[in-house]
């Protein structure tokens, strides 16, 4: 993923709209590219701040920690990976079960 691709995904990222592959590439890039990280931090603060002002302030929690969203996304990726691993194990177990039955 190039810098310009990453930068076009700031808003989808903040809205949790990236798919697994996009999210993975986005995070990998942003963790290594200081430029994109700074841009992201700026966007995040601006967008969440604007939304906070537009919304009913009492109901919406002001999110100002851009790093936290990155951490949460990474945790999500990790869980997704574990889940995929479990699915494969389950599939293997089913196959073995079928073979035993035959
Ligand atoms: Zn970059």
């Amino acid at each position: 993923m190039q810098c310009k691709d990453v930068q076009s995904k700031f808003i989808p990222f903040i809205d949790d709209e990236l798919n697994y592959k996009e999210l993975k590439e986005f995070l990998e890039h942003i963790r290594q590219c200081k430029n994109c990280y700074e841009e992201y931090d700026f966007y995040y603060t601006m967008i969440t701040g604007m939304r906070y002002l537009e919304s009913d302030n009492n109901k919406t929690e002001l999110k100002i920690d851009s790093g936290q969203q990155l951490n949460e996304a990474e945790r999500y990726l990790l869980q997704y990976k574990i889940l995929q691993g479990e699915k494969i194990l389950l599939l293997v177990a089913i196959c073995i079960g079928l073979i035993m039955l035959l």
Side-chain angles (χ1 to χ4, degrees):
M1 210 181 253
Q2 306 280 309
C3 288
K4 63 174 171 51
D5 299 322
V6 168
Q7 285 164 14
S8 73
K9 291 190 163 54
F10 286 154
I11 293 173
F13 173 74
I14 293 168
D15 288 336
D16 287 323
E17 280 170 358
L18 296 181
N19 64 35
Y20 176 76
K21 191 170 166 287
E22 287 171 327
L23 189 61
K24 191 166 173 284
E25 287 173 2
F26 180 89
L27 287 172
E28 274 168 6
H29 184 100
I30 220 164
R31 287 301 193 193
Q32 284 162 19
C33 179
K34 199 168 175 288
N35 256 345
C36 285
Y37 185 82
E38 279 170 5
E39 284 269 319
Y40 159 72
D41 193 46
F42 174 76
Y43 262 83
Y44 187 91
T45 310
M46 197 176 72
I47 288 164
T48 52
M50 260 165 38
R51 285 182 184 167
Y52 179 72
L53 291 176
E54 280 169 3
S55 65
D56 187 345
N57 293 4
N58 296 324
K59 283 178 191 158
T60 322
E61 186 189 345
L62 178 57
K63 297 198 292 181
I64 46 162
D65 191 351
S66 65
Q68 194 189 338
Q69 180 139 0
L70 286 179
N71 290 336
E72 278 170 13
E74 274 168 352
R75 216 175 304 142
Y76 164 79
L77 281 186
L78 200 69
Q79 280 171 352
Y80 188 90
K81 234 186 262 174
I82 292 167
L83 219 67
Q84 289 299 94
E86 280 174 353
K87 269 188 206 158
I88 290 165
L89 277 181
L90 194 68
L91 210 69
V92 169
I94 291 170
C95 286
I96 291 171
L98 280 176
I99 291 164
M100 302 275 260
L101 278 176
L102 288 171

